């Protein structure tokens, strides 16, 4: 279970930024700061998949980066299975597996070495690593390219390696930042199957996306962020209800429209 | 931390670009370049030496023995045409008919009888940097001049021995207290840090760019930040990698230089240098390496901090240019003639290490001073390393 309450994050604005944006100011800019995330809350139970939606620049990536502990929140709490992880990022990193569409691999290491390296950084010992890696290689059908350098792998192979890397330490929660953006259909399918696998194991998954068909396929819950504020959090059915449409795209647009009118 | 260190090293060893800079450059490419340069230089000198100049003398009869000297000189060949004025000779030199022309305005003996100097004009193209024309003519003229002097003195009844004394009443003789090593060390000692220190910087900067900005660009930095390894450990792992390559570059260079010198020494007589440097013990060499360690640490922290700040490989490379200028300035200061290690110069970073290396090579080093420099450099390196760690924890640097 993961619960996020009232997250906040601001960034200092640079001089260039201030001058450039004097005319059309983003409502999130004030006193030299850009309040990227102003109030974001959601929760995801065991065995649930949460889809994080929102227009570009809404604060999704910032939110997920705070979840993954890359950024430190200014306020709010993140609670994983009853443990507050904001105050202890090292502990949080052991509990979270993170994967984004843009994360890379070390090109000069082989796929296997990449995964083993991260396993070692997670403090796993040799025997554990061997067991876990064999399991993952079998699961993701990676045996054919294990000893190839990552720079020579195809996009699909890379994404499989990335997935294995992200979950090698058996995280309690998996966070995915637009994991399917820019991937072909085959590779997208790999990611989707991987999320379904996690769901069956009961691992909560949070992922941000722009593809609502994926949300329909995978998610129990949906959370919408707009301009740094959570404007919807509920089940997929509630999403359709509030959005007053059976098609998810229309429902999403209606919800955004509504928040802007308020 | 050591996981990071070992992995970075392994990755670097698989990178051909880094290997070229760290290993191939000092081991093979530099010696080949220097060798080629030396070969061309000596070839040019040899050519100039062996060249036979076509010459013409106006009014030969005014200084017959000088003319004869040139005529029988192995490097001179008399032109078949004759020229009488400076203008004619200038034209002839420009046209390539002769290499050099000499105009004797009057009979040298008669002029001397009138207690006056003769002025000879030597016409040639002086734009070549290695040329022996003027020196050879001047030598021949000097010989003739001595002949005239001697004739005069004899006529005045001065004996040969007295002539020498009369011409040079005082002879100044140098008694040098500097031994061979000190002498060569002064010349060579300025050069070696000039070669070593930039190599330490270069050896640090190439891998550093890859380890910081390179990881950012490839998107691996973010995943690395999400492992339960503290950021301090991550930076230190990276820092150690950069330090290792930096020192490895320096060490490989020194070793390969030693090897090449001993190889070349078999063909060309380098006894002077090898004798002088032969007195340098293992202790001195170790001391040089020891001084380079904190310096390498300074450079490593600097380039790593820059690399972490940069968004891309390219941006990092852009910052390296000004940085190497910054590193070169104090080196140039140390290269200036008569620069010595004093308490003043010992506080300038880089300069102090360069000067200390020079003194060590000269064998005139003050060990207390070296200790002080070592301590000062270690402190600076420590501060910079601390800064690097602090830098790596800043969100505004990591996620620019």
């Amino acid at each position: 279970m993961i619960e996020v309450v009232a997250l906040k994050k601001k960034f200092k604005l640079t001089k260039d930024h201030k001058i450039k944006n004097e005319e059309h100011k983003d409502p999130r800019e004030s006193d030299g700061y850009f309040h990227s995330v102003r109030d974001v809350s959601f929760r995801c139970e065991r065995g649930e998949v949460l889809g994080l939606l929102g227009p570009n620049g809404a604060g999704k990536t910032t939110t997920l980066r705070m979840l993954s502990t890359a950024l430190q929140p200014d306020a709010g709490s993140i609670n994983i299975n009853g443990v507050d992880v904001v105050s202890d990022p090292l502990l949080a990193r052991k509990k979270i597996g993170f994967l984004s569409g843009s994360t890379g691999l070390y090109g000069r290491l082989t796929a296997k070495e990449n995964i083993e390296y991260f396993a070692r950084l997670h403090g796993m010992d040799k025997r554990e690593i061997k067991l876990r890696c064999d399991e993952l290689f079998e699961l993701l059908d990676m045996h054919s390219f294990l000893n190839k350098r990552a720079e020579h792998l195809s996009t699909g192979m890379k994404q499989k390696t990335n997935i294995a890397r992200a979950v090698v330490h058996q995280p309690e929660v998996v966070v995915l930042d637009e994991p399917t953006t820019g991937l072909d259909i085959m590779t997208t399918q790999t990611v989707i199957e991987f999320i379904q696998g996690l769901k069956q194991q009961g691992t909560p998954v949070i992922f941000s996306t722009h593809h609502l068909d994926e949300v329909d396929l995978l998610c129990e819950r949906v959370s919408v962020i707009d301009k740094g504020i959570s404007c919807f959090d509920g089940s997929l059915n509630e999403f359709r209800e509030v959005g007053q449409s059976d098609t998810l795209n229309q429902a999403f647009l209606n919800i955004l429209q509504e928040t802007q009118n308020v | 931390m050591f996981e990071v260190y070992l992995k970075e090293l392994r990755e670097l060893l698989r990178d051909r670009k880094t290997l070229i800079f760290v290993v191939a450059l000092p081991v093979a490419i530099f010696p080949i370049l220097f060798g080629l340069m030396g070969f061309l230089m000596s070839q040019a000198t040899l050519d100039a030496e062996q060249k036979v100049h076509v010459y013409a003398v106006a009014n030969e009869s005014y200084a017959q023995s000088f003319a004869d000297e040139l005529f029988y000189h192995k490097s001179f060949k008399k032109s078949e045409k004759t020229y009488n004025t400076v203008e004619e000779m200038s034209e002839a030199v420009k046209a390539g008919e002769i290499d050099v022309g000499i105009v004797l305005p009057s009979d040298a003996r008669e002029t001397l009888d009138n207690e006056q100097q003769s002025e000879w004009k030597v016409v040639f193209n002086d734009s070549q940097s290695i040329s022996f024309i003027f020196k050879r003519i001047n030598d021949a003229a000097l010989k003739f001049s001595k002949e005239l002097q001697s004739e005069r003195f004899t006529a005045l009844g001065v004996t040969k021995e007295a002539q020498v004394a009369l011409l040079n009443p005082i002879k100044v003789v140098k008694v040098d207290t500097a031994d061979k090593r000190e002498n060569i060390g002064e010349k060579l000692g300025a050069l070696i840090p000039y070669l070593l220190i930039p190599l330490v910087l270069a050896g640090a900067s190439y891998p550093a760019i890859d380890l910081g900005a390179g990881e950012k660009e490839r998107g691996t930095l973010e995943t690395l930040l999400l492992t339960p390894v503290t950021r301090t450990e991550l930076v230190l792992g990276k820092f150690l990698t950069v330090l290792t390559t930096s020192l490895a570059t320096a060490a490989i260079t020194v070793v390969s230089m030693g090897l090449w010198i001993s190889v070349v020494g078999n063909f060309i007589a380098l006894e002077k240098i090898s004798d002088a440097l032969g007195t340098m013990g293992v202790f001195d060499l170790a001391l040089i390496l020891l001084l380079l360690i904190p310096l390498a640490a300074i450079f490593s922290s600097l380039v790593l901090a820059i690399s972490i700040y940069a968004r891309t490989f390219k941006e990092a490379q852009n910052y390296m240019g000004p940085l190497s200028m910054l590193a070169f300035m104090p080196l140039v200061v140390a290269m200036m003639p008569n620069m010595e290690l004093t308490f003043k110069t010992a506080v300038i970073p880089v300069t102090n290490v360069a000067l200390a290396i020079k003194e060590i090579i000269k064998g005139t080093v003050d060990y207390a001073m070296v200790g002080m420099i070592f301590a000062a450099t270690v402190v600076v390196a420590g501060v910079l390393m601390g800064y690097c760690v602090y830098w790596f924890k800043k969100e505004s640097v990591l996620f620019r």
Side-chain angles (χ1 to χ4, degrees):
Chain A
M1 192 274 295
I2 176 163
E3 187 176 29
V4 172
V5 182
L7 274 190
K8 270 186 194 159
K9 182 73 191 172
K10 62 184 176 185
F11 297 105
K12 212 171 173 132
L13 286 173
T14 57
K15 259 191 191 149
D16 297 347
H17 203 93
K18 274 181 210 159
I19 296 161
K20 228 194 298 177
N21 284 344
E22 235 158 46
E23 282 149 29
H24 27 187
K25 231 178 162 183
D26 191 297
R28 284 182 282 177
E29 279 175 31
S30 67
D31 36 276
Y33 286 100
F34 179 73
H35 298 264
S36 169
V37 172
R38 293 187 284 180
D39 181 10
V40 168
S41 307
F42 52 77
R43 56 183 293 133
C44 186
E45 295 291 338
R46 215 184 123 73
E48 277 186 342
V49 177
L50 174 84
L52 196 61
L53 307 178
N56 282 331
K60 296 190 300 291
T61 298
T62 307
T63 304
L64 294 182
R65 276 187 174 161
M66 282 191 276
L67 276 188
S68 70
T69 72
L71 294 174
Q72 180 90 25
D74 295 329
S77 73
I78 301 168
N79 196 309
I80 298 174
N81 291 338
V83 182
D84 176 30
V85 296
V86 173
S87 53
D88 190 354
L90 284 191
L91 186 67
R93 286 173 200 159
K94 291 197 171 174
K95 292 179 179 290
I96 292 173
F98 184 84
L99 172 69
S100 89
S102 65
T103 46
L105 295 164
Y106 293 107
R108 289 188 293 273
L109 298 185
T110 65
K112 195 175 172 193
E113 284 167 342
N114 263 294
I115 297 164
E116 285 175 347
Y117 173 52
F118 280 95
R120 279 197 300 272
L121 288 182
H122 275 285
M124 293 164 70
D125 66 35
K126 261 193 185 152
R127 213 179 50 85
E128 269 181 294
I129 292 175
K130 179 146 185 4
L131 277 175
R132 178 66 177 155
C133 283
D134 284 344
E135 188 187 342
L136 282 171
F137 297 155
E138 199 63 51
L139 191 73
L140 292 161
D141 187 24
M142 292 174 59
H143 288 290
S144 59
F145 57 88
L146 276 180
N147 292 317
K148 265 194 189 173
R149 283 196 191 189
E151 58 194 355
H152 301 312
L153 297 180
S154 73
T155 318
M157 294 170 180
K158 273 186 194 156
Q159 195 64 353
K160 278 187 181 177
T161 313
N162 256 324
I163 290 171
R165 193 219 74 228
V167 296
V168 73
H169 58 295
Q170 295 184 298
E172 292 171 30
V173 177
V174 173
V175 179
L176 308 165
D177 185 10
E178 301 191 11
T180 55
T181 304
L183 297 183
D184 65 7
I185 296 166
M186 301 280 290
T187 320
T188 305
Q189 196 54 37
T190 314
V191 177
I192 288 175
E193 280 166 15
F194 159 69
I195 296 176
Q196 279 167 335
L198 286 172
K199 200 165 145 181
Q200 274 166 18
Q201 286 170 29
T203 311
V205 178
I206 297 174
F207 79 103
S208 71
T209 185
H210 293 297
H211 302 289
L212 293 178
D213 51 333
E214 289 170 10
V215 173
D216 201 12
L217 194 67
L218 294 166
C219 297
E220 275 72 42
R221 294 179 70 84
V222 179
S223 186
V224 180
I225 301 178
D226 187 31
K227 299 203 173 65
I229 296 177
S230 287
C231 56
F232 176 85
D233 183 33
S235 72
L236 205 55
N237 285 333
E238 284 168 332
F239 183 73
R240 288 199 173 95
E241 234 166 76
V242 175
Q244 295 164 347
S245 173
D246 272 350
T247 46
L248 291 175
N249 278 351
Q250 194 55 47
F252 175 69
L253 289 174
N254 288 345
I255 287 174
L256 282 187
Q257 191 69 39
E258 214 166 290
T259 33
Q260 269 163 18
N261 291 339
V262 169
Chain B
M1 183 174 92
F2 286 103
E3 281 303 334
V4 179
Y5 174 66
L6 288 176
K7 172 254 159 194
E8 301 289 11
L9 269 191
R10 178 196 276 185
E11 213 186 353
L12 278 175
L13 284 176
R14 290 188 187 170
D15 182 16
R16 211 166 287 148
K17 206 166 50 186
T18 317
L19 282 185
I20 286 176
F21 277 113
V22 175
V23 182
L25 210 64
V27 171
I29 298 172
F30 273 160
I32 289 174
L33 281 182
F34 282 133
L36 209 67
M37 244 162 61
F39 175 72
L40 288 176
M41 267 291 279
S42 59
Q43 204 62 35
T45 316
L46 205 68
D47 277 353
E49 219 172 55
Q50 286 176 340
K51 197 170 175 218
V52 175
H53 318 288
V54 179
Y55 77 100
V57 181
N59 312 326
E60 259 187 31
S61 55
Y62 287 158
Q64 197 54 54
S65 62
F66 168 73
D68 290 345
E69 169 82 19
L70 283 192
F71 188 78
Y72 293 112
H73 198 295
K74 68 176 190 329
S75 301
F76 286 101
K77 186 171 166 259
K78 199 173 170 188
S79 153
E80 276 151 26
K81 270 169 89 180
T82 51
Y83 306 89
N84 294 318
T85 62
V86 172
E87 286 73 32
E88 276 177 33
M89 285 180 175
S90 292
E91 285 306 312
V93 168
K94 274 181 199 154
E97 291 165 18
I98 55 171
D99 292 314
V100 60
I102 304 123
V103 180
L104 313 182
S106 56
D107 189 318
R109 275 196 184 78
E110 272 172 27
T111 320
L112 191 61
D113 285 340
N114 298 332
E115 300 183 330
Q116 273 180 343
Q117 241 183 349
S118 302
E119 191 181 287
W120 294 1
K121 295 214 162 67
V122 181
V123 185
F124 71 110
N125 184 336
D126 198 17
S127 68
Q128 259 177 320
S129 44
I130 306 174
S131 165
F132 293 95
I133 293 183
F134 189 74
K135 190 182 169 291
R136 282 170 183 161
I137 303 246
N138 204 22
D139 285 350
L142 217 62
K143 202 170 166 193
F144 181 60
S145 184
K146 283 230 170 87
E147 195 183 307
L148 293 185
Q149 263 174 5
S150 175
E151 274 172 24
R152 271 291 152 135
F153 277 127
T154 316
L156 290 170
V158 183
T159 62
K160 273 232 161 90
E161 293 72 37
Q163 280 175 29
V164 175
L166 205 59
L167 281 172
N168 284 312
I170 294 167
K171 187 178 171 192
V172 181
V173 180
K174 225 195 241 179
V175 181
D176 193 358
T177 59
D179 59 12
K180 253 198 222 155
R181 174 173 167 186
E182 203 175 332
N183 235 324
I184 293 174
E186 172 70 29
K187 282 147 207 148
L188 212 68
L191 210 71
I192 284 178
Y194 201 70
L195 207 77
L196 269 181
I197 293 175
L199 269 169
V200 169
L201 180 62
S205 61
Y206 291 100
I209 295 176
D210 199 46
L211 259 53
E215 282 221 32
K216 245 189 202 179
E217 203 172 344
R218 287 191 298 267
T220 47
L221 186 65
E222 202 177 330
T223 45
L224 196 58
L225 292 177
L226 303 184
T227 55
V229 177
T230 61
R231 297 198 178 165
T232 311
E233 282 177 298
L234 286 180
V235 189
L236 288 183
K238 284 176 182 294
F239 169 80
L240 277 182
T241 316
V242 176
L243 186 68
T244 307
T245 55
S246 160
L247 287 173
T249 314
I252 289 171
T253 313
V254 172
V255 171
S256 81
M257 236 163 52
L259 279 177
W260 280 102
I261 286 178
S262 70
V263 168
V264 173
N266 288 332
F267 299 103
I268 311 166
L270 283 176
E271 282 103 15
K272 252 180 153 178
I273 294 176
S274 53
D275 277 0
L277 295 185
T279 49
M280 243 174 85
V282 177
F283 177 71
D284 288 334
L285 272 177
L287 206 60
I288 291 180
L289 220 59
L290 196 69
L291 273 174
L292 282 179
I293 291 174
L295 190 68
I298 289 182
F299 285 149
S300 301
S301 323
L302 275 177
V303 290
L304 195 59
I306 288 175
S307 166
I308 292 165
Y309 179 74
R311 282 196 200 94
T312 59
F313 216 89
K314 230 177 173 170
E315 193 183 337
Q317 276 174 330
N318 286 345
Y319 295 139
M320 292 302 161
L323 180 77
S324 55
M325 290 285 278
L326 266 179
F328 263 97
M329 278 315 290
L331 263 186
V332 173
V333 170
M335 274 279 275
M336 287 191 222
N338 287 1
M339 247 334 188
E340 273 188 356
L341 198 54
T342 58
F343 278 100
K344 224 188 264 171
T345 49
V347 294
I348 311 173
V350 186
T351 305
N352 55 13
V353 175
L355 285 173
I357 291 177
K358 183 166 131 182
E359 301 276 322
I360 291 172
I361 293 171
K362 276 166 76 177
T364 53
V365 71
D366 174 357
Y367 289 108
M369 196 79 110
V370 171
M372 201 188 90
I373 291 174
F374 183 76
T377 318
V378 165
V379 169
V380 175
V383 169
L384 282 172
M385 222 168 86
Y387 182 72
C388 204
V389 171
Y390 160 77
W391 197 231
F392 199 70
K393 287 182 180 167
K394 277 179 72 121
E395 286 174 0
S396 56
V397 170
L398 288 174
F399 297 96
R400 274 178 72 216

